[in-house]
Amino acid sequence: MLYYEKSGDSYKNDASHDYFFVTKEGRSNPQLEWDNSILAIKDRRKVGQLKKEFQCAFPARYELIIKKNPKLKESRDCPEFNEWKNEIGAKEIYLVYASSYVSNPASMFGHSFLRFSRGGKKRSDSLLDYSVGFMALTNPDDNAIMYSVKGIVGGYIGHFDIKPFYMQVGLYQNAEDRDLWEYKLPLSTQEVDLVIKHMWEVSRNTGFPYYFFDENCSYYVIKLIEAVNKNWNITNKRSYIFAHPIETLKWVKKRKGLLERQHFESINKVLRRRISQMSKDEKKDFKKAKSNLEVLKKIKSIAVLDALIDYWKFENYDKKTILTKKEHALMDTTFSMRAQSRNRLKDEKTILKERGQDPQFFHDPNKLTLGLSQTSGESVELEGTYALGYHGLIDNPRGHDDFSYIDYFSFSFKLKKSFKIKRVKLIEINSHAPFYWELPKLSWRFNSYYDNEKIVLRKKNSVLEGGLGLTLFISERSFQYSFVNIQNRIHSRGVRLLPEFRTGLKLVFNNFIINPEYSLIELNSKERHSAKSDFAYYWNENNGVIGYLKNTVGDSQQFEFGMKYRIYL
């Protein structure tokens, strides 16, 4: 419960405040802290930041000590703690996972927190529950570089943040276009009670260093459970360098199991589905009625009004209720007009039917790809790629929402007569935000890598590439995309800026993917065309086969094909 970590023959503790301990020396000496805790109980000493008697400041620790020393038990009135505990009223605990945020691929790792359920079975009941997350206290004056550096090296302190669950729904499901997935944790009534008591201890007395890639939001909500039940022991047995929220969800599933699951789609996802099922005239009315009060007052279609309600819910949350006078009038009129009609859409159940990929089935982050390839005029060679993460266009689609893609820290090699590094990738990001004329949103991409293949410039070069484009979904999981990019290629003789046009399809059929793509680059007033098609099939979460065909036409023509096996580690 005090988050000690063994360091050689001694102990260390990353708690940010000494209030968390009865004595300062107890930070590095568990036995001394235990002995002084017993003395504090006997002496009725005031401890902790709130300066309360031990059982009121540290109720979970007190319960643990009393189990081993029952003679120390005395009745004490702790009004502040009891009022707080009764207000939370937890009977069950759910692990909540917020999926990625459309247009922000960095959020693909997700976010996780806990919901303290009072036992209600309806969605309206859960909105009144409390939730707890581990959040970094950042400095608003830090620029993007300082923010990134501090986040990586633990320069921010994180604290457990308790708030009503409806506020989390408003932020993630409504304002940030993220689905919420809830999983009931297999905890007994006594364990739930002990978690709440321990929550009081940490939330009132300390914080911990926050690391974006490791000891982050998901790591500490799991540590909170581990603190009251040593048999969980999940974070100490992880096998990955990074502790992404989606990975901790799978750790819990693997080690302890997850009970009942609930899924709640984002407002924007439902809104996009409503628009896709409208007639052409309804789509025109929706687009105009968003900004024209006179057009809005003439709307008769229930489908348009329902879509406008979802639209204004999102706008209101996204803008933190700070709407203009005109926007308020449009929103209020929309709700008033819809309230006057009791009719419901015939296909409302179809629109609201649960969709989405359960993140607990997402593949493991690290991946190794090995296989054979052949380039025209050359013999067969062995090639492979190892990546620390995370998810690209032809990775296993199960458990992924299809909007955001991010791959990082990988290197590709080939082996024929000698070993050769083909490419070292720092990061590749693809954001495929669905584009609707009624809800226009651009897609974007960024890529940074070292190119040793000498195909484009005939020399080794480092590449920074970025672009904007459009993504049109042609089904729930398949889409067409087009980008206009600029490649900045840095080599020994200088820098080259190359314009590029890229277009392609991603077609998903259960666990089978086809990804044909065409690109055009202008180089030295000449055009270089490249057409390729990747395809992949996965027979379970962590194993699959990948094939590709590629034809490049420029100063010369080059055809390449290959077949590889991919395993996620």
Side-chain angles (χ1 to χ4, degrees), residues 6 32 82 88 243 253 335 343 379 411 454 473 518:
K6 195 77 181 290
L32 181 64
N82 290 332
I88 291 177
K253 173 193 171 186
F335 277 84
N343 296 330
S379 59
F411 71 92
K454 304 180 184 179
F473 273 74
Y518 166 79

Side-chain angles (χ1 to χ4, degrees), residues 40-86:
I41 295 172
K42 291 179 178 179
D43 299 341
R44 302 182 65 173
R45 192 188 315 168
K46 302 294 179 64
V47 294
Q49 186 171 10
L50 299 179
K51 296 302 178 185
K52 301 291 183 181
E53 290 191 34
F54 189 90
Q55 52 266 60
C56 298
F58 303 114
R61 276 185 241 175
Y62 175 75
E63 184 172 319
L64 179 63
I65 291 173
I66 292 303
K67 282 184 178 180
K68 295 183 179 294
N69 301 272
K71 292 182 179 180
L72 292 176
K73 186 174 182 179
E74 291 185 21
S75 178
R76 289 283 184 273
D77 185 25
C78 303
E80 289 183 36
F81 166 69
N82 290 332
E83 182 181 355
W84 177 86
K85 181 173 178 287
N86 291 335

Side-chain angles (χ1 to χ4, degrees), residues 467-482:
L468 294 174
L470 301 179
T471 299
L472 303 175
F473 273 74
I474 54 181
S475 71
E476 284 288 333
R477 308 213 61 191
S478 300
F479 55 83
Q480 186 273 329
Y481 58 90
S482 297

